Amino acid sequence: MDLRRLRYFVAVAEARSVGKAAERLRMAQPPLSVQIRKLEAEVGAPLFRRGTRGMDLTEAGQALLVRASEALALAADGIEAARAVASGKRGRLSVGYMFVLANAILPRLIPELRRSVPGVDLEFAELSASTREARVLDRSVTVALCMPAINHPEIQVARIGAQRFMLAMPASSPLARLSSVPMARLHGRPLIALPHPDHGPASSAVVPLLRRHQVVMPIASRVETVHSAMSLVLAGEGFAILPACAQLGAPRGIVFRPLRDATDSLDIAVCWRRDSQSPLIETFIKCAEKAVARM
Amino acid sequence: MDLRRLRYFVAVAEARSVGKAAERLRMAQPPLSVQIRKLEAEVGAPLFRRGTRGMDLTEAGQALLVRASEALALAADGIEAARAVASGKRGRLSVGYMFVLANAILPRLIPELRRSVPGVDLEFAELSASTREARVLDRSVTVALCMPAINHPEIQVARIGAQRFMLAMPASSPLARLSSVPMARLHGRPLIALPHPDHGPASSAVVPLLRRHQVVMPIASRVETVHSAMSLVLAGEGFAILPACAQLGAPRGIVFRPLRDATDSLDIAVCWRRDSQSPLIETFIKCAEKAVARM
DNA sequence: GCCAACTCATACGTTTTCGGTATGCCAATG
DNA sequence: CATTGGCATACCGAAAACGTATGAGTTGGC
């Protein structure tokens, strides 16, 4: 059965006349008459009573009419919905984020997103450093807010900001009395190390920084997450070198101080599959940039 | 947009492959591929991601899929529903009946109908003698249970039984003591007259009967309905000559007696528009015949 | 009471669209 | 590097739909 036939049928039923319906459909009357008869042949029963003053639905025709109208509307709505999704007016956007960024960015990002794409279903999911790449690749998140960016040939990256490294330590530490800490003062102190996601679990994100200043910090502990690092710092296990935004989620008793002679930073980036042609990604990046700008 | 395209689209989406879908659709792969691309052109956006191992829906495609599946199901259901109505398995049957017949027939007819056509919505409406013809002609009832039958070129009739005329009188009347009343005994007594529906309001259904027996009964009152007639009989206004089934609805204090030497009767008939091709009519007649047979 | 007007149905030629076959392109695989 | 397995393209024949011309039946007016 053909949707055109149903469309014709509905038109004739509503106009109660083949001629009128043909006019509305911008076609000649005879082919429309033929199509109606073909539909009747397909159903196996007359759908109209032919009178001298037009056509009138039979009960079988009435039964068909309600469903055919709905089917037409659904099909049209389907096309429309697909267009809306393709254009970014509707759809779903699953946003992955790393926990360090949550407090700094989400409170500004989420309202901005809801305002920009009101028809889109938003979904947020925390990403761990170890799985973030896989979550982007298997599309379980559409975009990921990462620090640093994911490095993978299938994944595209937009840098939207950066966070300077700062020294995190217990408030009781003598270094906490300085307004900024010279790199040299770190020499020999124990380090709570976070791995660099690109270099495996035994790496540390601050190796280049320390090496450049010829500072050696023995690694006291290796942790996976920023909150773990801060917990250990609070427990007096050592010092951590963390991106500035981490202090928004820091517990009481931890102080952050800038590193006086180091301008190193970690990029904040939006990452997504290169073949995700969703138009929402562009919009998301704009929103994220705004949120970062007001951080 | 064409329903065939949508059907193809759903098949490809479900098979996640043009080739597999083509096989299921019993067609070659290239034309199917062409149709999918035409649909994408119509939507204005890709519906599938082409990988090296088949096709995968985009989000726009997913949005279309749910609606397209529903539309397909609805269209198929519409055709099926029209067939069901045309074959009498589903639909609506509006039954008109004249009040005299209600008590005698409906209690047996209605259960019989519900058993015979369980998928059909039944509707019952009392008909007055003056409007019954119009109600059949304008299809506000599909069939009418009438006594006597409607006489009209557009209306078809099936006789399903007959009811002998009986004399209705107050229990206190001397004639009530007879087990049957000779026609001659009616001579000169006042008549409560019901019009014959074919001969206008000033007629009487029993004129031929009286004339044949050379009985003259002065008309005491003209009434429209059988219950009016019985009310006046009970009030002592006169005698009525009514079909036998009327006694089922007669109030206490009225007695019916057969007319000894008169076998006249009124036909019970099913009446319907000649151009109503509903298959339910045939079934209805069968049910009505059964109901009358057990009356 | 006959003719004009209006309705849907039929016939036929033209055009569009669809489906099949042959073939190309590309990536993954051994 | 050849083979395999997937989709895309090109071309041709077939089917379906559309338009024009026309027929048939009924209503309504003169």
Side-chain angles (χ1 to χ4, degrees):
Chain A
M1 116 225 43
D2 187 347
L3 202 51
R4 169 176 17 188
R5 294 244 175 89
L6 293 184
R7 189 192 323 285
Y8 289 176
F9 166 71
V10 171
V12 172
E14 284 176 352
R16 306 167 65 90
S17 147
V18 179
K20 300 277 188 356
E23 201 170 335
R24 261 194 48 200
L25 293 168
R26 318 276 182 106
M27 66 186 289
Q29 170 263 320
L32 183 54
S33 182
V34 169
Q35 292 303 321
I36 296 295
R37 296 197 87 80
K38 283 189 181 172
L39 182 59
E40 288 180 318
E42 184 181 343
V43 171
L47 299 170
F48 291 97
R49 256 184 290 275
R50 272 82 171 165
T52 170
R53 276 271 162 253
M55 319 257 287
D56 210 0
L57 281 175
T58 62
E59 309 206 354
Q62 290 172 27
L64 178 58
L65 178 62
V66 288
R67 290 158 177 93
S69 312
E70 279 186 63
L72 282 171
L74 257 167
D77 182 52
I79 303 284
E80 205 39 60
R83 282 191 189 131
V85 169
S87 73
K89 283 197 281 290
R90 294 193 178 281
R92 240 194 65 216
L93 181 69
S94 177
V95 178
Y97 59 88
M98 303 194 64
F99 186 80
V100 228
L101 296 171
N103 290 319
I105 296 188
L106 294 190
R108 291 169 189 88
L109 175 61
I110 295 181
E112 185 69 29
L113 274 177
R114 296 219 181 275
R115 214 176 41 72
S116 299
V117 288
V120 173
D121 292 332
L122 295 177
E123 193 180 283
F124 296 90
E126 189 186 337
L127 300 178
S128 71
S130 53
T131 63
R132 55 183 204 160
E133 190 174 297
R135 301 286 301 274
V136 171
L137 287 175
D138 74 3
R139 298 181 209 280
S140 69
V141 298
T142 318
V143 289
L145 273 173
C146 294
M147 181 163 65
I150 299 175
N151 183 15
H152 188 282
E154 279 299 310
I155 293 177
Q156 199 160 345
V157 163
R159 185 182 170 282
I160 58 172
Q163 289 286 295
R164 292 274 285 276
F165 279 118
M166 295 182 81
L167 183 66
M169 62 201 133
S172 56
S173 166
L175 291 182
R177 272 172 295 197
L178 304 176
S179 65
S180 71
V181 181
M183 283 298 292
R185 296 287 296 272
L186 298 180
H187 191 76
R189 299 187 190 265
L191 176 69
I192 312 294
L194 279 161
H196 189 285
D198 293 341
H199 304 143
S203 66
S204 164
V206 292
V207 166
L209 168 63
L210 297 176
R211 174 160 319 169
R212 195 150 22 81
H213 289 82
Q214 295 171 315
V215 170
V216 174
M217 296 181 76
I219 291 179
S221 290
R222 296 190 176 279
V223 294
E224 279 293 319
T225 67
V226 172
H227 15 346
S228 283
M230 294 194 291
S231 294
L232 293 186
V233 167
L234 191 58
E237 275 295 293
F239 294 76
I241 296 175
L242 301 176
C245 61
Q247 61 191 309
L248 283 169
R252 296 202 162 277
I254 291 197
V255 298
F256 279 66
R257 290 291 179 266
L259 296 168
R260 188 172 305 163
D261 36 9
T263 61
D264 294 49
S265 64
L266 276 182
D267 283 349
I268 304 176
V270 176
C271 308
W272 67 97
R273 262 193 83 120
R274 198 172 289 280
D275 62 0
S276 290
Q277 73 285 48
S278 168
L280 291 172
I281 294 175
E282 200 59 42
T283 313
F284 177 81
I285 293 171
K286 288 212 180 68
C287 292
E289 279 170 342
K290 273 194 196 175
V292 167
R294 290 182 306 175
M295 214 163 77
Chain B
M1 117 225 41
D2 185 349
L3 202 52
R4 170 178 15 189
R5 294 245 173 87
L6 293 184
R7 189 194 320 285
Y8 289 176
F9 165 72
V10 170
V12 172
E14 285 177 351
R16 307 166 66 89
S17 149
V18 179
K20 300 277 187 1
E23 202 170 335
R24 261 193 47 202
L25 293 168
R26 318 273 181 110
M27 65 185 291
Q29 170 263 320
L32 183 54
S33 182
V34 169
Q35 292 303 321
I36 295 296
R37 295 196 86 81
K38 284 190 180 171
L39 182 59
E40 288 180 319
E42 184 181 345
V43 171
L47 299 169
F48 291 97
R49 255 185 291 276
R50 272 82 171 167
T52 169
R53 278 270 163 255
M55 319 257 286
D56 211 359
L57 281 175
T58 62
E59 308 207 354
Q62 290 171 28
L64 178 57
L65 177 62
V66 287
R67 291 157 176 94
S69 312
E70 277 185 65
L72 282 171
L74 257 167
D77 183 52
I79 302 284
E80 205 39 60
R83 283 193 188 129
V85 170
S87 72
K89 284 198 280 289
R90 294 193 178 283
R92 237 194 67 217
L93 180 69
S94 178
V95 178
Y97 60 89
M98 303 196 63
F99 186 81
V100 227
L101 297 172
N103 290 321
I105 296 189
L106 293 191
R108 290 169 191 87
L109 175 61
I110 295 181
E112 185 69 29
L113 274 176
R114 296 218 181 274
R115 215 175 42 73
S116 299
V117 288
V120 173
D121 292 332
L122 295 176
E123 193 179 284
F124 295 89
E126 189 185 336
L127 300 178
S128 72
S130 54
T131 62
R132 55 183 204 160
E133 191 174 298
R135 301 286 301 274
V136 172
L137 288 175
D138 73 4
R139 298 182 210 279
S140 70
V141 297
T142 318
V143 289
L145 274 173
C146 294
M147 181 163 66
I150 300 173
N151 183 14
H152 188 280
E154 279 299 309
I155 293 176
Q156 198 160 347
V157 163
R159 185 182 169 283
I160 59 171
Q163 289 287 295
R164 293 273 287 276
F165 279 118
M166 295 183 79
L167 182 67
M169 62 200 133
S172 57
S173 164
L175 291 182
R177 270 172 296 196
L178 304 176
S179 63
S180 70
V181 181
M183 285 297 295
R185 295 288 295 272
L186 298 180
H187 190 77
R189 298 186 191 266
L191 177 69
I192 312 295
L194 279 161
H196 188 286
D198 293 341
H199 304 143
S203 67
S204 163
V206 293
V207 165
L209 169 62
L210 296 177
R211 175 160 322 168
R212 194 148 24 81
H213 290 83
Q214 296 171 315
V215 170
V216 174
M217 297 180 75
I219 291 179
S221 289
R222 296 191 176 280
V223 293
E224 279 292 320
T225 67
V226 172
H227 18 342
S228 285
M230 294 194 290
S231 294
L232 293 186
V233 168
L234 192 57
E237 275 295 294
F239 295 77
I241 296 176
L242 301 176
C245 61
Q247 61 191 311
L248 283 170
R252 296 201 163 278
I254 291 198
V255 298
F256 278 66
R257 290 289 179 267
L259 295 168
R260 190 173 303 165
D261 37 8
T263 61
D264 293 49
S265 64
L266 276 182
D267 283 348
I268 304 175
V270 176
C271 309
W272 68 97
R273 263 193 83 119
R274 198 172 289 279
D275 61 1
S276 290
Q277 73 283 50
S278 168
L280 292 172
I281 294 175
E282 198 59 41
T283 312
F284 177 80
I285 293 172
K286 288 211 182 70
C287 291
E289 279 171 341
K290 273 194 196 176
V292 168
R294 291 182 307 173
M295 215 163 77

